[in-house]
Amino acid sequence: MGRLNINWERDGRQAAYLELPSSTNTSAWQNLRIPVFYFRRGDGPRTLLIGGSHGDEYESQVALSKLAHTLDPHTLIGSILVIPSLNLPAALAGARLSPIDGGNLNREFPGDARGSVTQRMAHFVSHELVPRVDSVVDLHSGGRTLRFHPCTFVHGQADPARTAAFLAAARSFRAPLTVILREDHADVMLDDVVERAGKLMLASELGGSALVTRDTVHLTSEGLRQLLQHLGHMSGAQSSPTTVAPSRVVCVPGPEYYLHADDTALFEPVLELGEAVREGAVVGFYHYIDRVDRAPVPLYAPRSGLLLCVNGQALVHRDDAVAVIAVDYEG
């Protein structure tokens, strides 16, 4: 299945590899090694930080790499487990999905101990790591095909008190937006495993277009610091004031707030992410670069709200997400 040589009771910093045996056309007895970092200082809150579940989402991988190599365990309360690039084969291939088995890691949970590499990776996280922590933070961005106004993501919970706790943690990250959204495929995502275990779950969408920018990495690094403080990992004496505006809480009420492509073309956005938009307003244009007889065609906002997400690269194909509209959350 997998193995990770960490002493969970030892204080200090440990660096190890999550090892997953594999077999491919080019490497019959491959042993996949994924870097993992563990920090502990006594009993206290326990948090798992994950980046790179999708390989082409780089902001989290850079921010968590920086954290893994700078965090001082002597300043902590409790324990923090950091995996900067969980889907390492995909990250090294610059791809969303694993090049080994084509698996989409965050659509394989709770995994399969006897399945493919991606399924065994999901199983290890579900059964070996999630039970060891109180909170899980799975950092995402838009990857190559989407671009988000930076935000944290939470699922609404049946218990209002749990929803409030999730929102408080998400807002402590101080991204411009905190989004309440339950995806159609949530039952095969890590979120579902964590929530069914009664743990706190937080995700994000921190940029996209397969880019790393100074602003998104700074936002992610500062957000992690503020979140870890909120979760109780930092003493009050170590806290530092912030002048960042509170995160605005929004939601995506349903599929009618998504705009999907009906054709293959180049998409030209005309609005900035986070900008207010009215239903029926032009959000961009299709450009048919292969036709002399087709002028640019406008695309219209399906609902009023703010622009949460747009296509991350100019080329769109039929059924691709082109834009997503969010509205203020009324609670």
Coordinates of all heavy atoms in Angstrom, one line a residue, residues 49-51 57-71 82-85 139 173 206 212-213 216-225:
L49 N -1.3 19.7 6.1 CA -1.2 20.7 5.0 C -0.8 20.0 3.7 O 0.3 19.4 3.7 CB -0.3 21.8 5.3 CG -0.5 22.6 6.6 CD1 0.6 23.6 6.8 CD2 -1.8 23.3 6.7
I50 N -1.7 20.1 2.7 CA -1.4 19.4 1.4 C -1.4 20.3 0.3 O -2.3 21.2 0.2 CB -2.5 18.3 1.2 CG1 -2.4 17.2 2.2 CG2 -2.4 17.7 -0.2 CD1 -3.6 16.2 2.1
G51 N -0.4 20.2 -0.6 CA -0.4 20.9 -1.9 C -0.2 20.0 -3.0 O 0.2 18.8 -2.8
E57 N -1.1 22.9 -10.3 CA -1.5 23.9 -9.4 C -0.3 24.2 -8.5 O -0.1 23.5 -7.5 CB -2.8 23.5 -8.6 CG -3.9 23.2 -9.6 CD -5.1 22.6 -8.8 OE1 -5.1 22.4 -7.6 OE2 -6.1 22.3 -9.5
Y58 N 0.4 25.3 -8.8 CA 1.7 25.4 -8.3 C 1.8 26.3 -7.0 O 2.8 26.2 -6.3 CB 2.7 26.0 -9.4 CG 2.8 25.1 -10.6 CD1 2.3 25.5 -11.8 CD2 3.4 23.8 -10.4 CE1 2.5 24.6 -12.9 CE2 3.5 23.0 -11.5 CZ 3.0 23.4 -12.8 OH 3.1 22.5 -13.8
E59 N 0.9 27.3 -6.9 CA 1.0 28.2 -5.8 C 1.2 27.5 -4.4 O 2.1 27.9 -3.6 CB -0.2 29.1 -5.7 CG -0.3 30.1 -6.9 CD -1.1 29.5 -8.1 OE1 -1.3 28.2 -8.1 OE2 -1.4 30.2 -9.0
S60 N 0.4 26.5 -4.2 CA 0.4 25.8 -2.9 C 1.8 25.1 -2.7 O 2.3 25.0 -1.6 CB -0.7 24.8 -2.8 OG -0.7 23.8 -3.8
Q61 N 2.3 24.5 -3.8 CA 3.5 23.7 -3.8 C 4.7 24.6 -3.4 O 5.5 24.2 -2.6 CB 3.7 23.0 -5.1 CG 2.6 22.0 -5.5 CD 2.9 21.3 -6.8 OE1 3.8 20.6 -6.9 NE2 2.0 21.5 -7.8
V62 N 4.7 25.8 -4.0 CA 5.8 26.7 -3.6 C 5.7 27.2 -2.2 O 6.7 27.2 -1.4 CB 5.8 27.9 -4.6 CG1 6.8 29.0 -4.2 CG2 6.1 27.4 -6.0
A63 N 4.5 27.6 -1.8 CA 4.3 28.1 -0.4 C 4.6 27.0 0.6 O 5.2 27.3 1.7 CB 2.9 28.7 -0.3
L64 N 4.1 25.8 0.4 CA 4.4 24.8 1.4 C 5.8 24.3 1.4 O 6.4 23.9 2.4 CB 3.4 23.6 1.1 CG 2.0 23.8 1.4 CD1 1.1 22.6 1.1 CD2 1.8 24.2 2.9
S65 N 6.5 24.4 0.2 CA 7.9 24.1 0.2 C 8.7 25.1 1.1 O 9.6 24.8 1.9 CB 8.4 24.2 -1.2 OG 9.9 24.0 -1.3
K66 N 8.3 26.4 0.9 CA 8.9 27.4 1.7 C 8.7 27.2 3.2 O 9.6 27.3 4.1 CB 8.4 28.8 1.3 CG 8.8 29.3 0.0 CD 8.1 30.6 -0.4 CE 8.5 31.7 0.4 NZ 8.0 33.0 -0.1
L67 N 7.4 26.8 3.6 CA 7.1 26.6 5.0 C 7.9 25.4 5.5 O 8.4 25.4 6.6 CB 5.6 26.3 5.1 CG 5.1 26.0 6.5 CD1 5.1 27.3 7.3 CD2 3.6 25.5 6.4
A68 N 8.0 24.3 4.7 CA 8.6 23.1 5.2 C 10.1 23.3 5.5 O 10.7 22.6 6.3 CB 8.5 22.0 4.1
H69 N 10.7 24.3 4.8 CA 12.1 24.6 5.0 C 12.5 25.8 5.9 O 13.6 26.1 6.1 CB 12.8 24.7 3.6 CG 12.8 23.4 2.9 ND1 13.7 22.4 3.1 CD2 12.1 23.0 1.8 CE1 13.5 21.4 2.3 NE2 12.5 21.7 1.5
T70 N 11.4 26.4 6.4 CA 11.7 27.6 7.3 C 11.0 27.5 8.6 O 11.3 28.2 9.6 CB 11.2 28.9 6.6 OG1 9.8 28.8 6.3 CG2 12.0 29.1 5.3
L71 N 10.0 26.6 8.8 CA 9.2 26.5 10.0 C 10.1 26.0 11.2 O 10.8 25.0 11.0 CB 8.1 25.5 9.8 CG 7.0 25.5 11.0 CD1 6.4 26.8 11.2 CD2 6.0 24.4 10.6
V82 N 3.3 18.4 6.7 CA 3.3 19.2 5.4 C 3.7 18.2 4.3 O 4.7 17.6 4.3 CB 4.3 20.3 5.5 CG1 4.3 21.2 4.3 CG2 4.1 21.2 6.8
I83 N 2.9 18.2 3.2 CA 3.2 17.5 2.0 C 3.0 18.5 0.9 O 1.9 18.8 0.4 CB 2.2 16.3 1.8 CG1 2.1 15.4 3.0 CG2 2.7 15.5 0.6 CD1 1.2 14.3 2.9
P84 N 4.1 19.1 0.4 CA 4.1 20.1 -0.6 C 3.5 19.7 -1.9 O 2.8 20.4 -2.6 CB 5.5 20.6 -0.7 CG 6.2 20.2 0.6 CD 5.5 18.9 1.0
S85 N 3.8 18.5 -2.4 CA 3.4 18.0 -3.7 C 3.0 16.6 -3.6 O 3.7 15.6 -4.0 CB 4.6 18.1 -4.7 OG 5.1 19.4 -4.8
L139 N -4.7 22.7 -0.3 CA -4.6 23.9 -1.1 C -4.6 23.7 -2.6 O -3.8 22.9 -3.1 CB -3.3 24.7 -0.7 CG -3.3 25.1 0.8 CD1 -1.9 25.7 1.1 CD2 -4.4 26.1 1.1
F173 N -7.7 32.8 7.0 CA -6.7 32.8 5.9 C -6.6 34.2 5.2 O -5.6 34.5 4.7 CB -7.1 31.7 4.9 CG -6.0 31.3 4.0 CD1 -5.2 30.2 4.3 CD2 -5.8 32.0 2.8 CE1 -4.2 29.8 3.4 CE2 -4.8 31.6 1.9 CZ -4.0 30.5 2.2
L206 N -6.3 29.4 -5.4 CA -5.5 30.6 -5.1 C -4.8 31.0 -6.4 O -3.6 31.1 -6.4 CB -4.5 30.3 -4.0 CG -5.1 30.0 -2.6 CD1 -4.1 29.3 -1.7 CD2 -5.6 31.3 -2.0
V212 N 2.9 30.8 -11.3 CA 3.3 31.2 -9.9 C 3.6 32.7 -9.9 O 4.5 33.1 -10.7 CB 4.5 30.4 -9.4 CG1 4.9 30.9 -8.0 CG2 4.1 28.9 -9.3
T213 N 2.9 33.5 -9.2 CA 3.2 34.9 -9.1 C 3.6 35.3 -7.7 O 3.3 34.6 -6.7 CB 2.0 35.8 -9.5 OG1 1.0 35.7 -8.5 CG2 1.4 35.3 -10.9
T216 N 0.4 35.8 -5.5 CA -0.3 34.6 -5.0 C 0.5 33.8 -4.0 O -0.1 33.2 -3.1 CB -0.7 33.7 -6.2 OG1 0.4 33.4 -7.0 CG2 -1.8 34.4 -7.1
V217 N 1.8 33.7 -4.2 CA 2.6 33.0 -3.3 C 2.7 33.7 -1.9 O 2.6 33.1 -0.8 CB 4.1 32.8 -3.8 CG1 5.0 32.2 -2.7 CG2 4.0 31.8 -5.0
H218 N 2.7 35.1 -2.0 CA 2.7 35.8 -0.7 C 1.4 35.7 0.0 O 1.3 35.5 1.2 CB 3.0 37.3 -1.0 CG 2.9 38.2 0.2 ND1 3.9 38.3 1.1 CD2 1.9 39.1 0.6 CE1 3.5 39.1 2.1 NE2 2.3 39.6 1.8
L219 N 0.3 35.7 -0.8 CA -1.0 35.6 -0.2 C -1.1 34.2 0.5 O -1.6 34.0 1.6 CB -2.1 35.7 -1.3 CG -3.5 35.3 -0.9 CD1 -4.1 36.3 0.2 CD2 -4.4 35.3 -2.1
T220 N -0.7 33.1 -0.2 CA -0.7 31.8 0.3 C 0.1 31.6 1.6 O -0.3 31.0 2.6 CB -0.3 30.8 -0.7 OG1 -1.1 31.0 -1.9 CG2 -0.5 29.3 -0.3
S221 N 1.3 32.2 1.5 CA 2.2 32.0 2.7 C 1.7 32.8 3.9 O 1.7 32.3 5.0 CB 3.6 32.6 2.3 OG 4.2 31.8 1.3
E222 N 1.2 34.0 3.7 CA 0.6 34.8 4.8 C -0.7 34.1 5.3 O -0.9 34.1 6.5 CB 0.4 36.2 4.4 CG 1.6 37.1 4.3 CD 2.2 37.2 5.7 OE1 1.6 37.8 6.6 OE2 3.3 36.7 5.9
G223 N -1.4 33.6 4.3 CA -2.7 32.9 4.7 C -2.4 31.7 5.6 O -3.1 31.5 6.6
L224 N -1.4 30.9 5.3 CA -1.0 29.8 6.1 C -0.6 30.2 7.5 O -1.0 29.6 8.5 CB 0.1 29.0 5.4 CG -0.3 28.1 4.2 CD1 0.9 27.7 3.5 CD2 -1.2 26.9 4.7
R225 N 0.2 31.3 7.6 CA 0.6 31.7 8.9 C -0.6 32.1 9.7 O -0.7 31.7 10.9 CB 1.6 32.9 8.7 CG 2.0 33.5 10.1 CD 2.9 34.8 9.9 NE 2.1 35.8 9.3 CZ 1.2 36.6 10.0 NH1 1.1 36.4 11.3 NH2 0.6 37.6 9.4

